[in-house]
Amino acid sequence: MGKVISGKELSLKKRAYMKNEVIKLENKYGRKPHLAVILIGDDPGSVSYVKGKEKACLEVGVKNTTIVRPKDITQEELLSIIHDLNCDPYVDGILVQLPLPSHINQTFIINSISPDKDVDGFHPQNVASLYLKQPGIIPCTPKGIIEVLDSENIDIEGKKACVVGRSNIVGLPVSKLLLDKNATVTIAHSRTKNLKEVTKNADILIIAVGKPLFIKEDMVKPGAVVIDVGVNRHPITNKLCGDVDFDNIKDKASFITKVPGGIGPMTISCLIENTIECFLKHVED
Ligand code: NDP
């Protein structure tokens, strides 16, 4: 059986380390890093994600403010909240929980967050920095994926990596990070023909599609490293599950992550890390 990499354990270690760092930072600078989260509406998924972020802040000792507004908030009102947070010298990170209600222009909102407080790394300036290999904020999930690979000293250089999914928040940025580590990267998507032939070639297979148990055993190369980013409800049990048919693939892979307890907790730990990085920029500038 391949090794199941526990993102949960890794993220607990990361949080314990960051907790110590935050104590030192507070002693040195007289305040803690501060993350502001804006939650619009009461979508259960979004509420649960925000709770996970609050819990992680508490664990690490990062100050957290969650601003909750009803789903009929106007775009102007939301922009005004972001403007105030942008101007507040004691706020280091701003996260707007996505998705937003359809009457609000998501791109416009993301672009209104000050790039030096954009802990999600979604602002065009941070996106450009990633692609140009300049200092900036790296999106949390891709960062977490690379840390998971690094935690097992998985060799990336020269390997064939296949990323299934090309979203701005997972597929594209993780492809760029793999490329920066000298993998030969193939990006597959909904129009890819013969997907199985593509995935079967990969030494490292990253799946971010959002379809329960989408990747089957015959789509995986023996000994491949399989990273499952998907978060779905199982169609029969309604339990959380990933994009990968874990039970049937775990024996074929050399390393594999599980859902839940894989990339999800690492994403949140990387969010806290990004908040600390933003704090350091603010206090040292
Ligand atoms: P998107 O819906 O933005 O993107 C999904 C991607 O999958 C698209 O690029 C799409 O292709 C591709 N796709 C859809 N159907 C197929 C198919 N049949 N064959 C090949 N590719 C296909 O999703 P996200 O990237 O935002 O998220 C993906 C999953 O990861 C979701 O389950 C989400 O919940 C989860 N997630 C988990 C996180 C975590 O922390 N664990 C963080 C973020 C997301 P096309 O571009 O052609 O439409």
Side-chain angles (χ1 to χ4, degrees), residues 141 165-167 169-170 189-190 208-211 214 229-232 264 267:
T141 304
R166 55 175 165 180
S167 70
I169 64 172
V170 189
H189 46 78
S190 66
V209 169
K211 294 196 166 149
F214 176 72
V229 184
V231 180
N232 314 291
T267 295

Side-chain angles (χ1 to χ4, degrees), residues 42-201:
D42 56 3
D43 169 70
S46 294
V47 171
S48 143
Y49 284 132
V50 168
K51 282 213 173 95
K53 289 163 189 170
E54 287 172 345
K55 183 171 165 273
C57 284
L58 200 67
E59 274 171 40
V60 176
V62 161
K63 184 177 171 189
N64 165 246
T65 305
T66 302
I67 300 165
V68 184
R69 290 291 182 273
K71 62 174 180 292
D72 60 356
I73 187 174
T74 64
Q75 182 159 302
E76 287 63 39
E77 284 167 329
L78 179 52
L79 285 171
S80 159
I81 295 171
I82 295 170
H83 174 76
D84 290 348
L85 295 171
N86 281 339
C87 296
D88 187 336
Y90 299 111
V91 169
D92 302 294
I94 304 170
L95 181 148
V96 179
Q97 184 62 45
L98 302 176
L100 290 168
S102 55
H103 66 280
I104 294 179
N105 182 328
Q106 197 158 289
T107 305
F108 203 64
I109 295 299
I110 290 170
N111 293 0
S112 75
I113 298 172
S114 176
D116 66 328
K117 296 190 178 187
D118 166 41
V119 279
D120 261 336
F122 294 164
H123 187 283
Q125 187 174 312
N126 285 315
V127 174
S129 298
L130 173 66
Y131 290 98
L132 298 173
K133 277 200 193 172
Q134 290 174 11
I137 300 165
I138 296 172
C140 308
T141 304
K143 194 176 187 181
I145 293 169
I146 298 296
E147 278 189 30
V148 162
L149 296 173
D150 285 348
S151 74
E152 294 292 341
N153 296 316
I154 290 164
D155 207 9
I156 298 176
E157 178 154 333
K159 293 286 155 59
K160 287 183 194 149
C162 173
V163 178
V164 189
R166 55 175 165 180
S167 70
N168 289 333
I169 64 172
V170 189
L172 285 184
V174 79
S175 303
K176 176 63 169 78
L177 293 177
L178 289 164
L179 194 59
D180 287 348
K181 284 186 163 273
N182 299 318
T184 301
V185 183
T186 304
I187 305 174
H189 46 78
S190 66
R191 313 291 169 87
T192 299
K193 290 200 165 56
N194 301 324
L195 181 65
K196 193 204 291 190
E197 296 311 312
V198 179
T199 57
K200 257 172 60 179
N201 253 321

